[in-house]
Amino acid sequence: MMNKVNAVTHDKAELKTNNIPRIDKQAVAEAFGRAAKHYDKAAAFQRIVGHQLLERLPAVIPTGTRVLDLGCGTGYFSEQLMQRGYDVSAADLSIEMLAQAKSRCGDSVTYLEADAENLPIADNQFDVAFSSLALQWCDDLSVPLKELRRVVKPGGRIMFTTLVEGSLFELSQAWQEVDRYQHVNHFLSQKAIKLALAQAGGAIDTLDFKPIRVNYPAAVGLMKDLKGIGATHLPQGRKAGLAGRKTIMALESAYNEFRDENGQLPATYQVCFGVIIND
Protein backbone atom coordinates (compact mmCIF):
# COMPACT_ATOMS: atom_id res chain seq x y z
CA MET A 1 0.00 0.00 0.00
CA MET A 2 1.41 3.39 -1.02
CA ASN A 3 1.62 6.15 1.55
CA LYS A 4 -0.66 9.05 0.67
CA VAL A 5 -0.04 12.78 0.96
CA ASN A 6 -1.25 13.87 4.36
CA ALA A 7 -3.94 16.17 2.99
CA VAL A 8 -7.69 16.31 2.67
CA THR A 9 -8.69 14.69 -0.62
CA HIS A 10 -10.02 17.22 -3.09
CA ASP A 11 -13.46 16.36 -4.45
CA LYS A 12 -12.86 15.47 -8.09
CA ALA A 13 -16.48 16.22 -8.94
CA GLU A 14 -15.85 19.90 -8.17
CA LEU A 15 -13.18 20.22 -10.82
CA LYS A 16 -13.99 21.47 -14.30
CA THR A 17 -14.12 18.83 -17.01
CA ASN A 18 -14.75 20.96 -20.08
CA ASN A 19 -12.24 19.19 -22.31
CA ILE A 20 -12.74 15.65 -23.54
CA PRO A 21 -9.37 13.92 -23.12
CA ARG A 22 -7.63 12.88 -26.32
CA ILE A 23 -4.80 11.16 -24.49
CA ASP A 24 -5.66 7.81 -22.96
CA LYS A 25 -4.24 8.26 -19.47
CA GLN A 26 -4.59 4.57 -18.64
CA ALA A 27 -2.57 3.67 -21.73
CA VAL A 28 0.07 6.22 -20.74
CA ALA A 29 0.21 4.83 -17.20
CA GLU A 30 0.52 1.29 -18.53
CA ALA A 31 3.34 2.27 -20.92
CA PHE A 32 5.32 3.88 -18.11
CA GLY A 33 4.45 1.03 -15.79
CA ARG A 34 6.00 -1.47 -18.18
CA ALA A 35 9.12 0.68 -18.37
CA ALA A 36 9.45 1.30 -14.63
CA LYS A 37 12.08 -1.32 -13.78
CA HIS A 38 14.49 -0.33 -16.57
CA TYR A 39 13.58 3.35 -16.93
CA ASP A 40 16.74 4.67 -15.26
CA LYS A 41 19.03 2.97 -17.79
CA ALA A 42 17.41 4.91 -20.66
CA ALA A 43 16.76 8.27 -19.00
CA ALA A 44 19.93 10.27 -19.75
CA PHE A 45 18.00 13.09 -21.44
CA GLN A 46 15.50 13.25 -18.58
CA ARG A 47 18.40 13.61 -16.11
CA ILE A 48 19.90 16.49 -18.10
CA VAL A 49 16.61 18.41 -18.18
CA GLY A 50 15.71 17.74 -14.55
CA HIS A 51 19.09 18.86 -13.26
CA GLN A 52 18.81 22.09 -15.22
CA LEU A 53 15.42 22.67 -13.61
CA LEU A 54 16.88 21.93 -10.17
CA GLU A 55 19.41 24.72 -10.75
CA ARG A 56 16.50 27.19 -10.78
CA LEU A 57 15.48 26.35 -7.20
CA PRO A 58 16.21 28.92 -4.50
CA ALA A 59 19.63 28.51 -2.89
CA VAL A 60 18.23 28.91 0.63
CA ILE A 61 15.55 26.44 1.73
CA PRO A 62 13.64 27.16 4.94
CA THR A 63 13.17 24.19 7.25
CA GLY A 64 9.97 22.30 6.55
CA THR A 65 9.59 23.51 2.95
CA ARG A 66 7.15 21.15 1.24
CA VAL A 67 7.61 20.20 -2.41
CA LEU A 68 5.41 18.16 -4.73
CA ASP A 69 7.37 16.19 -7.33
CA LEU A 70 4.68 15.70 -9.97
CA GLY A 71 5.42 12.97 -12.49
CA CYS A 72 8.14 11.65 -10.21
CA GLY A 73 8.83 8.49 -12.21
CA THR A 74 11.34 6.32 -10.40
CA GLY A 75 11.96 9.01 -7.80
CA TYR A 76 15.36 10.18 -9.02
CA PHE A 77 14.52 13.85 -8.54
CA SER A 78 12.44 13.14 -5.45
CA GLU A 79 15.69 11.87 -3.94
CA GLN A 80 17.59 14.92 -5.20
CA LEU A 81 14.99 17.21 -3.61
CA MET A 82 15.05 15.23 -0.36
CA GLN A 83 18.84 15.53 -0.21
CA ARG A 84 18.50 19.32 -0.55
CA GLY A 85 16.35 19.41 2.57
CA TYR A 86 12.83 19.46 1.17
CA ASP A 87 9.86 17.62 2.67
CA VAL A 88 8.96 15.67 -0.49
CA SER A 89 5.70 14.24 -1.77
CA ALA A 90 6.08 12.20 -4.96
CA ALA A 91 3.14 11.83 -7.34
CA ASP A 92 2.81 9.83 -10.54
CA LEU A 93 0.16 8.37 -12.81
CA SER A 94 1.86 4.96 -12.70
CA ILE A 95 1.70 2.82 -9.57
CA GLU A 96 4.71 0.83 -10.83
CA MET A 97 6.76 4.01 -11.06
CA LEU A 98 5.75 4.91 -7.52
CA ALA A 99 6.91 1.49 -6.34
CA GLN A 100 10.33 2.17 -7.89
CA ALA A 101 10.37 5.61 -6.27
CA LYS A 102 9.64 4.10 -2.88
CA SER A 103 12.44 1.57 -3.36
CA ARG A 104 14.80 4.49 -4.00
CA CYS A 105 13.59 7.02 -1.42
CA GLY A 106 12.02 4.87 1.31
CA ASP A 107 9.63 6.21 3.91
CA SER A 108 11.18 9.68 4.02
CA VAL A 109 8.98 10.60 1.05
CA THR A 110 5.20 10.34 0.78
CA TYR A 111 3.66 8.86 -2.38
CA LEU A 112 0.50 9.55 -4.33
CA GLU A 113 -0.99 7.95 -7.43
CA ALA A 114 -2.38 10.99 -9.23
CA ASP A 115 -3.37 12.49 -12.57
CA ALA A 116 -1.80 15.93 -13.05
CA GLU A 117 -5.07 17.24 -14.49
CA ASN A 118 -7.09 16.21 -11.42
CA LEU A 119 -4.93 16.16 -8.30
CA PRO A 120 -6.53 14.52 -5.25
CA ILE A 121 -4.90 17.08 -2.97
CA ALA A 122 -6.39 19.90 -0.90
CA ASP A 123 -5.63 23.53 -1.66
CA ASN A 124 -2.48 25.32 -0.47
CA GLN A 125 -0.49 22.27 0.63
CA PHE A 126 2.96 22.91 -0.90
CA ASP A 127 5.58 25.62 -1.02
CA VAL A 128 7.04 24.37 -4.31
CA ALA A 129 5.83 22.20 -7.18
CA PHE A 130 8.49 20.51 -9.33
CA SER A 131 7.45 18.74 -12.53
CA SER A 132 9.96 17.76 -15.19
CA LEU A 133 8.91 16.29 -18.54
CA ALA A 134 5.52 15.08 -17.35
CA LEU A 135 3.03 17.74 -18.44
CA GLN A 136 3.31 16.94 -22.17
CA TRP A 137 1.11 13.92 -21.39
CA CYS A 138 -1.82 16.27 -20.68
CA ASP A 139 -4.23 17.42 -23.38
CA ASP A 140 -4.49 21.00 -22.13
CA LEU A 141 -1.37 22.37 -20.42
CA SER A 142 -3.37 25.06 -18.63
CA VAL A 143 -5.30 22.40 -16.66
CA PRO A 144 -2.34 20.87 -14.74
CA LEU A 145 -0.85 24.33 -14.28
CA LYS A 146 -4.11 25.51 -12.69
CA GLU A 147 -4.09 22.40 -10.50
CA LEU A 148 -0.54 23.12 -9.41
CA ARG A 149 -1.48 26.72 -8.62
CA ARG A 150 -4.35 25.39 -6.51
CA VAL A 151 -2.22 23.06 -4.40
CA VAL A 152 0.74 25.46 -4.04
CA LYS A 153 0.51 28.16 -1.38
CA PRO A 154 0.29 31.84 -2.37
CA GLY A 155 3.82 33.07 -3.00
CA GLY A 156 5.05 29.56 -3.75
CA ARG A 157 6.85 28.39 -6.87
CA ILE A 158 5.66 26.14 -9.70
CA MET A 159 8.62 24.84 -11.67
CA PHE A 160 8.14 22.74 -14.77
CA THR A 161 9.65 21.54 -18.02
CA THR A 162 7.77 20.25 -21.02
CA LEU A 163 8.58 19.32 -24.61
CA VAL A 164 7.90 21.77 -27.41
CA GLU A 165 6.97 21.50 -31.07
CA GLY A 166 9.97 20.44 -33.14
CA SER A 167 11.25 17.89 -30.64
CA LEU A 168 12.83 14.86 -32.32
CA PHE A 169 12.41 16.42 -35.75
CA GLU A 170 15.26 14.26 -37.08
CA LEU A 171 13.45 11.07 -36.09
CA SER A 172 10.14 12.38 -37.42
CA GLN A 173 11.63 13.29 -40.80
CA ALA A 174 13.43 9.97 -41.05
CA TRP A 175 10.21 8.06 -40.41
CA GLN A 176 8.46 10.10 -43.12
CA GLU A 177 10.89 8.55 -45.58
CA VAL A 178 9.89 5.07 -44.40
CA ASP A 179 6.08 5.04 -44.03
CA ARG A 180 3.01 7.25 -43.64
CA TYR A 181 2.36 6.49 -39.97
CA GLN A 182 2.86 8.78 -36.99
CA HIS A 183 5.84 7.68 -34.90
CA VAL A 184 6.63 10.82 -32.90
CA ASN A 185 4.21 12.60 -30.60
CA HIS A 186 3.00 16.10 -31.42
CA PHE A 187 4.03 18.76 -28.89
CA LEU A 188 2.71 22.24 -28.19
CA SER A 189 4.16 25.26 -29.97
CA GLN A 190 5.80 28.07 -28.01
CA LYS A 191 2.74 30.20 -28.73
CA ALA A 192 0.39 27.52 -27.36
CA ILE A 193 2.49 27.15 -24.20
CA LYS A 194 2.43 30.90 -23.61
CA LEU A 195 -1.35 30.88 -24.09
CA ALA A 196 -1.72 28.03 -21.58
CA LEU A 197 0.36 29.98 -19.06
CA ALA A 198 -1.84 33.04 -19.57
CA GLN A 199 -4.94 30.90 -19.02
CA ALA A 200 -3.47 29.31 -15.89
CA GLY A 201 -2.54 32.65 -14.34
CA GLY A 202 0.21 33.42 -11.86
CA ALA A 203 3.27 35.58 -12.37
CA ILE A 204 5.82 34.18 -14.81
CA ASP A 205 9.26 34.39 -13.23
CA THR A 206 11.07 32.46 -15.97
CA LEU A 207 10.08 31.12 -19.38
CA ASP A 208 12.94 29.79 -21.47
CA PHE A 209 12.93 27.68 -24.62
CA LYS A 210 16.11 25.85 -25.54
CA PRO A 211 17.23 22.89 -27.65
CA ILE A 212 18.96 19.98 -25.97
CA ARG A 213 20.76 17.48 -28.17
CA VAL A 214 21.54 13.87 -27.32
CA ASN A 215 23.85 11.88 -29.63
CA TYR A 216 23.51 8.26 -30.70
CA PRO A 217 25.71 6.02 -32.86
CA ALA A 218 22.59 4.60 -34.52
CA ALA A 219 18.87 5.39 -34.70
CA VAL A 220 17.99 2.12 -33.03
CA GLY A 221 19.66 3.42 -29.85
CA LEU A 222 17.23 6.34 -29.70
CA MET A 223 14.30 4.01 -30.36
CA LYS A 224 15.40 1.73 -27.53
CA ASP A 225 15.70 4.68 -25.15
CA LEU A 226 12.21 5.93 -26.04
CA LYS A 227 10.86 2.46 -25.39
CA GLY A 228 12.98 2.15 -22.24
CA ILE A 229 11.44 5.24 -20.65
CA GLY A 230 7.91 4.28 -21.70
CA ALA A 231 7.46 7.23 -24.09
CA THR A 232 5.72 5.07 -26.66
CA HIS A 233 2.06 6.08 -26.39
CA LEU A 234 0.64 7.94 -29.37
CA PRO A 235 -2.98 9.14 -29.29
CA GLN A 236 -3.67 8.10 -32.87
CA GLY A 237 -2.24 7.15 -36.21
CA ARG A 238 0.36 4.76 -34.92
CA LYS A 239 1.14 1.56 -36.76
CA ALA A 240 0.35 -1.52 -34.69
CA GLY A 241 3.05 -4.02 -33.88
CA LEU A 242 6.83 -3.88 -33.73
CA ALA A 243 8.95 -2.59 -36.60
CA GLY A 244 10.56 -5.37 -38.61
CA ARG A 245 14.22 -5.63 -39.58
CA LYS A 246 13.67 -4.11 -43.04
CA THR A 247 11.79 -1.18 -41.54
CA ILE A 248 14.56 -0.49 -39.03
CA MET A 249 17.17 -0.69 -41.79
CA ALA A 250 15.17 1.82 -43.84
CA LEU A 251 14.91 4.10 -40.81
CA GLU A 252 18.66 3.90 -40.19
CA SER A 253 19.31 4.78 -43.84
CA ALA A 254 16.97 7.79 -43.69
CA TYR A 255 18.34 8.97 -40.33
CA ASN A 256 21.91 8.83 -41.68
CA GLU A 257 21.19 12.11 -43.50
CA PHE A 258 21.59 13.79 -40.10
CA ARG A 259 24.88 12.13 -39.13
CA ASP A 260 27.43 14.76 -38.07
CA GLU A 261 31.16 15.09 -38.72
CA ASN A 262 31.90 12.98 -35.63
CA GLY A 263 29.77 10.12 -36.89
CA GLN A 264 26.98 10.74 -34.36
CA LEU A 265 23.24 10.89 -34.99
CA PRO A 266 21.55 13.78 -33.17
CA ALA A 267 18.24 13.60 -31.34
CA THR A 268 17.22 17.20 -30.69
CA TYR A 269 14.61 18.03 -28.10
CA GLN A 270 13.02 21.47 -27.80
CA VAL A 271 12.48 22.09 -24.09
CA CYS A 272 10.47 24.69 -22.22
CA PHE A 273 11.67 25.69 -18.74
CA GLY A 274 9.04 27.56 -16.76
CA VAL A 275 8.89 29.03 -13.25
CA ILE A 276 5.63 30.56 -12.01
CA ILE A 277 5.24 32.51 -8.78
CA ASN A 278 1.81 31.72 -7.38
CA ASP A 279 -0.44 34.59 -6.37
Side-chain angles (χ1 to χ4, degrees):
M1 179 66 68
M2 287 291 168
N3 299 323
K4 301 299 182 182
V5 173
N6 186 20
V8 178
T9 300
H10 186 79
D11 186 352
K12 296 182 180 180
E14 294 178 0
L15 297 176
K16 294 181 180 179
T17 56
N18 296 330
N19 296 321
I20 299 174
R22 295 185 302 276
I23 294 177
D24 184 340
K25 291 296 183 67
Q26 183 175 350
V28 171
E30 289 173 354
F32 282 105
R34 289 190 296 271
K37 290 186 178 180
H38 47 79
Y39 177 94
D40 287 329
K41 295 179 181 178
F45 165 70
Q46 286 70 21
R47 298 281 187 269
I48 292 170
V49 173
H51 275 288
Q52 290 188 22
L53 186 61
L54 280 178
E55 292 173 1
R56 298 165 189 255
L57 284 166
V60 179
I61 304 167
T63 302
T65 300
R66 298 191 68 199
V67 60
L68 174 66
D69 181 7
L70 181 60
C72 66
T74 61
Y76 177 87
F77 288 107
S78 297
E79 184 178 43
Q80 296 288 314
L81 291 162
M82 181 177 63
Q83 291 173 350
R84 290 178 179 226
Y86 286 98
D87 179 359
V88 181
S89 293
D92 202 275
L93 194 62
S94 166
I95 196 73
E96 291 85 2
M97 284 291 191
L98 289 169
Q100 293 298 310
K102 188 170 185 179
S103 294
R104 182 193 298 274
C105 300
D107 293 333
S108 296
V109 170
T110 55
Y111 305 91
L112 177 67
E113 183 182 5
D115 182 346
E117 294 178 277
N118 197 352
L119 295 173
I121 303 170
D123 296 356
N124 304 325
Q125 294 296 306
F126 297 98
D127 303 287
V128 178
F130 179 97
S131 182
S132 189
L133 297 178
L135 301 186
Q136 65 266 16
W137 299 105
C138 299
D139 285 311
D140 182 348
L141 178 61
S142 70
V143 175
L145 291 178
K146 287 176 183 176
E147 278 292 86
L148 289 173
R149 288 198 62 215
R150 180 179 64 77
V151 303
V152 169
K153 299 172 185 176
R157 290 173 176 260
I158 297 159
M159 311 179 62
F160 72 94
T161 64
T162 191
L163 295 180
V164 186
E165 183 180 58
S167 292
L168 297 176
F169 75 91
E170 304 98 341
L171 179 62
S172 181
Q173 289 184 26
W175 270 119
Q176 288 174 20
E177 298 296 320
V178 176
D179 61 34
R180 67 182 185 278
Y181 297 100
Q182 179 189 350
H183 293 271
V184 178
N185 276 293
H186 296 301
F187 302 107
L188 293 179
S189 65
Q190 291 189 21
K191 182 178 179 180
I193 290 173
K194 291 175 182 177
L195 177 60
L197 283 164
Q199 292 172 337
I204 298 175
D205 179 74
T206 303
L207 186 63
D208 296 330
F209 298 91
K210 61 184 294 187
I212 295 179
R213 170 174 163 166
V214 181
N215 292 322
Y216 291 89
V220 70
L222 169 60
M223 299 296 290
K224 286 180 178 178
D225 275 359
L226 292 174
K227 182 179 180 181
I229 63 168
T232 54
H233 175 71
L234 292 167
Q236 57 186 0
R238 184 180 182 180
K239 184 177 180 181
L242 298 174
R245 184 171 179 270
K246 289 185 178 180
T247 301
I248 293 298
M249 289 177 64
L251 176 66
E252 291 285 1
S253 177
Y255 211 137
N256 269 331
E257 295 297 319
F258 296 98
R259 195 175 294 278
D260 65 18
E261 63 278 7
N262 297 316
Q264 294 292 308
L265 292 176
T268 305
Y269 295 86
Q270 302 297 330
V271 185
C272 171
F273 291 82
V275 179
I276 300 170
I277 306 300
N278 209 15
D279 54 22

